[in-house]
Amino acid sequence: MTELSKTYNPKDHEERLYQWWEAQGYFKPETMIARELASPEGERFCITMPPPNVTGILHLGHAMTAALEDLMTRYYRMRGFETLFLPGSDHAGIATQNVVERELSKEGVTRHDLGREAFIERCWEWKEKTHNRITNQHRQLGISCDWERERFTLDDGLSHAVRTAFTTLFNQGLIYRGPYMVNWCPRCESAISDLEVESEEHDSHLWYIRYPIVNADWKGPQHPWGSGRWSEGATAFIEMATTRPETILGDSGVAVNPEDARWQSLVGKMVVLPVLGRQILVVPDEAVLPAFGTGAVKVTPAHDPTDYEIGMRHNLAQIDVMTETGTMNENAGPYQGLERYACREAIVVDFEREGLLVKVEDYHHTVGHCQRCHTVIEPRISTQWFVRAKPLAERAMQVVREGTMRIVPERFEKTWFHWMENIRDWCISRQLWWGHRIPVWYCQDCDAVWSPMENPTTCPKCGSTYIYQDEDVLDTWFSSGLWPFSTLGWPDTETYDMQRFSPTDMRETGYDILFFWVARETMLSLALLDQAPYHTVYLHGLIRNEYGQKISKSMADAWKYDPLYIIEEYGTDALRYTLATSSTPGNDMNLDPRRLEGARNFANKIWQASRYILMNLGEGDVSPLSEIENNRLLLEDRWILSRLHQLTGDVFKLMEMCQYGEAGRRVRDFLWDEFCDWYIEATKVRLYDDRADKAIPRSVLLTVLEQALRLLHPFMPFVTETIWQALPQSVRRGEALIIAPWPVQDVAYLDAAAEVQMMLLMDLTRGIRNVRAEYNVEAGKRVAAWVAAGTLATTLTDREPVLVSLARLDAEKLEIVETLEPVAQSASVVVGDVVVYLPLAGLVDLEAERERLQKALANLENRIASSEKRLAGPFAEKAPVAVVESERQRLMEMQTEATQLQEQIMRLS
C-alpha cells in the first residue's frame, strides 16, 4: 500500500502514469485479448480519432473531442470489450499549403519559385514538425489510443484507399468533370466547397445604376466611355441595384419577375451594357424578387449562383471577367489588370461621371469568406471534378430513417434530412499542390480520359505515350471521408481490423462539421462498402468563453483558453472533467474558469478523502465486505452502500444513453456530497472511538472508494489511477485501474428503508446547523437538544452518536423521546414527524441577542418608512418605470426581513 502525499500535484503523476499505461500495452486491443480481459469473439468497441490538421497546435475543440472519445474508450475497455481507439492526423490541403506558403514568403520565395516537387517536400517537413507537437499534446490529454496504429491521410495505405475510391466511383459514373459555378478563393487560387465558405456580416453599399434601352431614338453610344457623354441621346433607361459593380462587365442580361407589372413592357427588349456597349436582353424569371432594389436585376451568369441558373434557363452568355487571383481580365475592357475592389471603385466613379449612377444606399449583408484564409470568395464558373451527390444522399438518409445509424442528439436528424434533400454535387478538385493528386490521365493524341489503379505509361485507347496526369488535387474531405475504414486497412477487407472493427461504433465530433465530414463519411462508406461507417454519431457543441463569446486568437485573453495552459494551471483531469460534464449533447458550453477551479477542487477533495481513509486503516488486512454479516452494518453503512449501488445502476444507464455529462455529474455529487460530506464524517464516530468495532467502517470505506474510483476513472483517469494504486491489494481488481472491471450494480445492497432513515438524520443535521448559523453559534460549541421523534425514536437513539457528532450536540444534554410538549424560548427544527428543540439560552446570550435584534429591527423600520413615503409621492409618477419597480422590490425585501426579525425576537421572549 502506497502512502499518498499531503496534496495532489498532477505534475507528479500524469506523465509517469501515461508512460506506464502505454508501456504495459493497455491501449492495444491485443493486450486485452492476451490477458483474457476481452475475447476476440466477444463484444468490441472501435472509434477513430477525428484527425486534426497538421497546421499548428490543438485547441479546446480538440480537447473536448479527446476527453469525450477517451471517456467512451475507457468505459468500454473496463466493460471487457475489445477496444480500439485509432489515432491519426489530416494533411489539410488548403490549410497546410497556406501555412507553408506564408513561411516561404518570409524567405522571399513563392511555391512557383520552388516548383511542385520541392514545395511538396517543404510541406512534408512542416508535417513532421507539427505532427510530433500535436501527438505530444494528445498524450498530455491522457488519451488511451493505440499509437502503433496511427495513420496519416497521405501515408501509403490511405493514399491507396483514396485512389481505389476515386477510380471505383469514376468507373461507376459517380465522379465527373465539367464546368460549373463554384466558390473560388483568389488567395488560395482554388475552388472550395460550399461547406468551406464562412458567411460574415458586412456593412457595404447598394449601388443603384441604370442601363439605356435600345429604341427608335437611340441605338447605342456615339461617344467613348469616360467622356461624360457615353449615353447622350438615350431617352429610356432601366434602373437596378447591385452590391458588386465590378461584375457589371460580365453582364449578359437583365431579369425581371414576370408578375411585376412595372417591367412587363420591357421583357424582350434590348438594353446596352455600359462601358462595353454590348446589347443584352431583358428576360422574365421567377427567381427575381420584386422587393429587392427596383425589382430589376443585372444578370452575370459567370459570377453569381442565382444568375448562373437564370442564364442557363435563358441561354445567356457566361462571361468571366476575372483571373484566378481576382484581378480583371481581358473581358473587363478598360479595367483590365485592376484588382477587383479597385475596379469597383473606378467603375462607380465612371458611372457617376456618365450620369448612370442614380444613388447609393448603405447595405448590411452576409458575404462568403474562405474558411482557411478568410479572403472574400468569388463565385466563378470553372471546370472541376464533382461527385454526383443526389444518389449518395438518398442512401445516407435511408440509414438514419431505418435506425441503422443514429444521431445524438436526435433533433439533428431533421437538419440531416434537410441538408441531404437539398444537396448539390460535391466539387472535389482543388487547384493546389499539397494533397492527393487526382488519379486521372489524358491523352494528347486522342480524347481518352481514364482513371487507372496504377500509373500508366501509354494510352489504353490509342497506345500513345503522350499522356499526362490531371494537375489538381482532391478536396481534403474526400480522403477524410474514407477515414472510418481506410484506417482499418480498406480496400483490403481481409485485415483483422477490417474484419473485427468495421463498421466502427462511434463518430464523436462537433455539430458544426456534421456535413463537412459525417455526411461525406456516410455517403462514401455506403457507396464503397455498402454499409454505414458507424452505428452512432455523437455531436458535441462549441466551446465559448465564460461570457458566451466565440473564442478566437484575436482575443486579448486568448492564452487562457489554450488547453496546455489550462493543464498547467489546473491539471489534465480538471480540464477533461469540465469539458465532459459542462454541457449536454449538441449544445454549446461556456468555459467558466470557476468550473475548472471546481473540477480541480474535486480532484483534491477525493485525494484528501482517500488519504484520510488510508491513514485510518490500522494494522493488518482489511476484511472484505463480502465476509461481513449484513446485520453488523449500521444505518450509515447500509445507506452509503445502497447509494453506491443506486449510483452504479444510474451511471450505467446514462453511459449507455450517451448522457456522459450527467453520468459524470452524478459521480461527483455522490463522492463529494454523500461519501465525503456525510459518510466519512459519520464513520469518525467509530474510527476515533477505541471501544468501537473499526473493521466494518474501514471495509465499507475502502469498498465504496474503490468502486467509485472505477466509476470516475473515464472522466478523471490520472487522479483515480494514482489513488487506486495506493489502495490495499485486497480490494483492487487487477493490476491497474485502466483495465479493472466496470462496476456492476448489486441489487441486494439497495435499501430504501436505510435511505429514508439516513435522510431523516441528514435533514435534522442540516436544520440544526442552520439554526446554529442563524444565531452565530461558535463552531466548536456543543448545544443541548430535545427531540420528539415519535415512532422513529428508536432509530435516532441507535444512531445518537452520529447525530451528536454531525450536529455538534452536547451528548449529556440530548434527550430523544417519542413525544414532547413544545419547549419555550427555543428554536425548533421540524423534519416530517420529528421535532428538535434547541434551547436558546444554550445558544446565545438572550438579553444581548434581543437588544441586537431590536436595534436591527428599528433601523430596518426607518428604512421601510422612508421607502413607503417615497413611493407614495411624486417619485412613483416621474421616475422611470424600471426604477420605481426596483424600489418596490427593495421595499418588499425589507418587509420580509423585518417579519423574520420580529419572529426571532418573539422566540427570545
Side-chain angles (χ1 to χ4, degrees):
M1 187 174 70
T2 306
E3 184 177 343
L4 297 180
S5 58
K6 289 185 178 180
T7 58
Y8 176 64
N9 184 354
K11 296 175 186 176
D12 294 340
H13 307 283
E14 292 180 352
E15 184 176 358
R16 171 185 62 82
L17 275 178
Y18 193 86
Q19 290 176 352
W20 179 67
W21 284 332
E22 190 172 7
Q24 295 300 309
Y26 296 144
F27 302 165
K28 297 180 64 60
E30 292 86 351
T31 301
M32 303 299 289
I33 298 296
R35 300 191 184 194
E36 297 184 352
L37 297 169
S39 166
E41 289 79 35
E43 295 186 272
R44 51 69 161 181
F45 176 81
C46 178
I47 186 169
T48 56
M49 175 194 295
N53 293 345
V54 286
T55 50
I57 60 175
L58 300 184
H59 53 65
L60 274 175
H62 295 114
M64 167 78 91
T65 296
L68 288 170
E69 293 182 356
D70 192 53
L71 180 160
M72 299 173 192
T73 302
R74 289 175 183 269
Y75 167 68
Y76 285 105
R77 183 185 292 120
M78 293 176 75
R79 284 196 58 203
F81 286 38
E82 185 183 1
T83 310
L84 174 60
F85 183 4
L86 196 152
S89 52
D90 196 308
H91 68 280
I94 290 179
T96 300
Q97 179 154 322
N98 282 343
V99 170
V100 175
E101 286 196 66
R102 282 199 297 269
E103 293 297 309
L104 288 175
S105 67
K106 297 174 184 177
E107 305 170 18
V109 178
T110 69
R111 65 182 168 109
H112 300 286
D113 295 330
L114 288 181
R116 186 167 191 148
E117 289 187 10
F119 177 77
I120 291 174
E121 186 60 38
R122 290 292 291 266
C123 290
W124 276 106
E125 292 173 7
W126 176 265
K127 177 264 177 185
E128 292 303 321
K129 180 171 67 175
T130 58
H131 166 262
N132 292 335
R133 182 167 58 200
I134 289 170
T135 298
N136 289 334
Q137 289 170 343
H138 266 133
R139 291 174 182 271
Q140 284 184 266
L141 288 165
I143 60 172
S144 56
C145 54
D146 185 353
W147 290 108
E148 292 183 14
R149 281 178 164 88
E150 184 180 12
R151 307 305 297 268
F152 177 56
T153 51
L154 273 178
D155 68 25
D156 290 342
L158 271 66
S159 294
H160 177 57
V162 167
R163 184 149 187 177
T164 302
F166 185 96
T167 300
T168 300
L169 298 175
F170 177 87
N171 291 334
Q172 291 176 354
L174 289 170
I175 287 179
Y176 69 93
R177 186 172 185 258
Y180 202 70
M181 175 66 64
V182 298
N183 305 296
W184 186 268
C185 175
R187 161 64 184 78
C188 298
E189 296 182 45
S190 176
I192 59 176
S193 72
D194 291 344
L195 294 174
E196 293 169 302
V197 177
E198 290 184 342
S199 295
E200 297 182 13
E201 300 290 321
H202 275 234
D203 286 318
S204 183
H205 297 95
L206 198 58
W207 287 271
Y208 285 79
I209 55 178
R210 59 180 191 161
Y211 294 178
I213 300 171
V214 175
N215 54 27
D217 300 322
W218 193 80
K219 303 296 183 184
Q222 301 300 311
H223 302 282
W225 178 255
S227 65
R229 302 174 61 194
W230 183 87
S231 61
E232 187 176 276
T235 57
F237 297 84
I238 185 168
E239 183 181 323
M240 63 208 85
T242 181
T243 59
R244 301 164 67 212
E246 67 277 12
T247 63
I248 287 170
L249 304 163
D251 286 1
S252 57
V254 172
V256 298
N257 192 291
E259 303 299 321
D260 193 339
R262 295 172 295 176
W263 305 113
Q264 285 181 354
S265 62
L266 292 181
V267 172
K269 297 288 183 68
M270 302 297 289
V271 300
V272 178
L273 180 67
V275 184
L276 302 175
R278 183 166 62 239
Q279 290 196 6
I280 57 179
L281 183 67
V282 179
V283 298
D285 200 282
E286 293 180 350
V288 179
L289 301 175
F292 177 78
T294 65
V297 296
K298 53 188 280 312
V299 181
T300 319
H303 289 282
D304 182 90
T306 302
D307 292 6
Y308 174 80
E309 299 294 339
I310 293 174
M312 292 295 288
R313 287 192 288 270
H314 298 281
N315 199 30
L316 302 179
Q318 300 170 347
I319 305 169
D320 187 348
V321 296
M322 294 186 198
T323 67
E324 294 179 349
T325 60
T327 57
M328 309 310 290
N329 65 19
E330 66 280 3
N331 294 325
Y335 304 102
Q336 180 179 357
L338 289 180
E339 189 273 334
R340 54 180 168 163
Y341 294 120
C343 175
R344 177 182 294 183
E345 293 179 9
I347 204 168
V348 168
V349 169
D350 290 344
F351 259 68
E352 186 172 21
R353 180 184 296 114
E354 295 294 350
L356 300 176
L357 180 65
V358 180
K359 61 179 178 178
V360 182
E361 293 180 348
D362 291 337
Y363 190 64
H364 184 81
H365 63 145
T366 58
V367 178
H369 289 247
C370 174
Q371 184 192 47
R372 299 302 180 188
C373 69
H374 303 293
T375 302
V376 174
I377 63 101
E378 191 65 45
R380 188 167 183 255
I381 292 177
S382 178
T383 299
Q384 302 287 342
W385 286 96
F386 295 87
V387 172
R388 299 187 196 278
K390 281 287 184 185
L392 304 184
E394 287 296 329
R395 296 196 64 192
M397 288 189 286
Q398 182 182 355
V399 293
V400 173
R401 286 195 187 101
E402 294 173 348
T404 307
M405 186 177 87
R406 66 171 180 146
I407 300 176
V408 179
E410 190 176 335
R411 70 175 186 273
F412 278 94
E413 289 185 4
K414 184 183 294 185
T415 312
W416 176 268
F417 293 133
H418 174 77
W419 191 81
M420 288 293 182
E421 287 164 357
N422 295 279
I423 198 170
R424 294 172 58 189
D425 283 355
W426 172 18
C427 177
I428 57 171
S429 49
R430 298 291 181 269
Q431 288 63 55
L432 306 171
W433 288 352
W434 173 244
H436 295 279
R437 192 167 175 181
I438 291 177
V440 168
W441 272 258
Y442 306 89
C443 179
Q444 293 179 331
D445 290 339
C446 69
D447 59 355
V449 179
W450 73 104
S451 178
M453 280 302 301
E454 302 293 337
N455 289 356
T457 56
T458 60
C459 172
K461 185 176 180 180
C462 70
S464 171
T465 58
Y466 293 99
I467 60 174
Y468 63 95
Q469 187 179 358
D470 198 292
E471 291 288 327
D472 292 349
V473 301
L474 286 166
D475 176 14
T476 298
W477 294 105
F478 189 89
S479 53
S480 299
L482 308 175
W483 188 255
F485 46 95
S486 63
T487 53
L488 299 177
W490 188 88
D492 183 354
T493 59
E494 299 303 315
T495 66
Y496 178 81
D497 285 358
M498 274 297 291
Q499 291 284 319
R500 179 61 168 150
F501 296 114
S502 180
T504 64
D505 294 274
M506 180 73 69
R507 167 58 66 231
E508 192 287 327
T509 190
Y511 67 72
D512 55 324
I513 58 172
L514 178 62
F515 304 118
F516 268 120
W517 190 31
V518 178
R520 313 300 198 205
E521 289 184 314
T522 305
M523 291 190 294
L524 290 173
S525 181
L526 288 165
L528 297 166
L529 278 74
D530 197 29
Q531 66 181 22
Y534 23 68
H535 301 306
T536 302
V537 177
Y538 179 97
L539 302 173
H540 67 249
L542 305 180
I543 304 175
R544 303 182 182 277
N545 69 7
E546 59 266 47
Y547 308 109
Q549 300 166 328
K550 184 178 179 181
I551 298 172
S552 66
K553 295 178 183 178
S554 60
M555 286 181 165
D557 60 350
W559 53 270
K560 73 180 185 181
Y561 304 107
D562 178 353
L564 297 186
Y565 165 78
I566 294 173
I567 289 173
E568 179 74 19
E569 190 74 9
Y570 301 98
T572 300
D573 285 332
L575 174 60
R576 287 178 55 134
Y577 182 84
T578 300
L579 294 176
T581 62
S582 296
S583 68
T584 53
N587 292 325
D588 293 353
M589 66 164 284
N590 294 354
L591 186 65
D592 192 326
R594 289 173 296 184
R595 285 181 172 172
L596 291 165
E597 291 169 9
R600 179 179 59 189
N601 293 342
F602 176 40
N604 287 327
K605 182 79 171 179
I606 58 177
W607 181 268
Q608 294 301 329
S610 303
R611 188 167 181 270
Y612 161 80
I613 293 169
L614 293 174
M615 290 173 64
N616 283 279
L617 292 182
E619 300 297 328
D621 292 335
V622 177
S623 301
L625 188 62
S626 59
E627 296 180 5
I628 297 175
E629 298 86 353
N630 195 55
N631 59 10
R632 293 176 61 198
L633 299 174
L634 299 184
L635 171 62
E636 56 268 32
D637 304 323
R638 299 195 307 275
W639 168 75
I640 198 64
L641 289 169
S642 180
R643 296 301 302 144
L644 173 68
H645 284 277
Q646 183 63 54
L647 173 74
T648 301
D650 290 346
V651 169
F652 173 73
K653 292 174 185 175
L654 290 166
M655 296 291 273
E656 291 299 295
M657 294 166 57
C658 299
Q659 295 296 324
Y660 306 115
E662 180 61 20
R665 291 189 289 271
R666 294 275 186 96
V667 178
R668 182 262 179 214
D669 292 347
F670 170 80
L671 275 167
W672 192 308
D673 299 341
E674 297 181 325
F675 185 58
C676 293
D677 286 357
W678 290 102
Y679 183 71
I680 287 180
E681 293 302 314
T683 60
K684 291 179 180 178
V685 173
R686 285 176 283 174
L687 292 178
Y688 292 169
D689 185 348
D690 292 337
R691 299 165 300 174
D693 179 2
K694 298 180 176 58
I696 294 175
R698 286 170 177 168
S699 178
V700 175
L701 282 166
L702 275 176
T703 298
V704 175
L705 175 61
E706 193 277 336
Q707 186 158 322
L709 289 174
R710 282 186 279 150
L711 291 172
L712 182 61
H713 179 72
F715 299 88
M716 305 181 87
F718 290 111
V719 68
T720 53
E721 181 76 79
T722 305
I723 295 171
W724 194 87
Q725 292 291 340
L727 301 183
Q729 184 67 45
S730 59
V731 299
R732 298 192 329 229
R733 308 283 189 91
E735 64 190 54
L737 178 56
I738 188 175
I739 56 171
W742 185 254
V744 177
Q745 183 187 55
D746 187 341
V747 295
Y749 283 107
L750 299 182
D751 191 332
E755 293 200 29
V756 170
Q757 292 168 10
M758 189 64 186
M759 185 58 67
L760 169 66
L761 199 64
M762 292 160 62
D763 287 343
L764 289 174
T765 301
R766 290 190 189 98
I768 295 169
R769 287 173 177 175
N770 290 339
V771 171
R772 293 174 65 102
E774 183 180 350
Y775 288 99
N776 298 313
V777 178
E778 296 174 6
K781 183 176 181 179
R782 294 191 174 274
V783 300
W786 290 276
V787 182
T791 58
L792 296 170
T794 302
T795 299
L796 291 180
T797 300
D798 288 344
R799 301 317 301 139
E800 177 183 315
V802 175
L803 183 61
V804 166
S805 175
L806 296 177
R808 305 295 292 171
L809 299 178
D810 188 335
E812 296 181 359
K813 297 180 181 180
L814 171 63
E815 184 176 349
I816 301 175
V817 296
E818 290 188 8
T819 60
L820 187 68
E821 292 296 321
V823 180
Q825 287 193 328
S826 68
S828 61
V829 175
V830 181
V831 179
D833 296 331
V834 179
V835 183
V836 178
Y837 297 97
L838 302 172
L840 295 178
L843 298 178
V844 294
D845 180 329
L846 294 180
E847 190 58 38
E849 184 65 10
R850 266 196 299 269
E851 185 177 344
R852 184 187 71 81
L853 293 175
Q854 286 169 345
K855 284 183 179 179
L857 179 61
N859 178 268
L860 193 58
E861 287 174 339
N862 287 335
R863 288 161 57 200
I864 289 172
S866 175
S867 180
E868 289 174 334
K869 182 178 179 181
R870 193 178 187 207
L871 288 168
F875 165 81
E877 297 178 359
K878 295 181 179 180
V881 174
V883 175
V884 175
E885 186 57 36
S886 176
E887 181 66 22
R888 287 200 178 102
Q889 184 65 32
R890 192 169 72 92
L891 174 60
M892 290 173 60
E893 292 171 356
M894 290 191 295
Q895 290 170 335
T896 299
E897 187 180 347
T899 300
Q900 293 171 344
L901 288 173
Q902 289 166 351
E903 290 174 353
Q904 289 181 342
I905 293 170
M906 287 178 63
R907 286 201 297 268
L908 292 174
S909 302

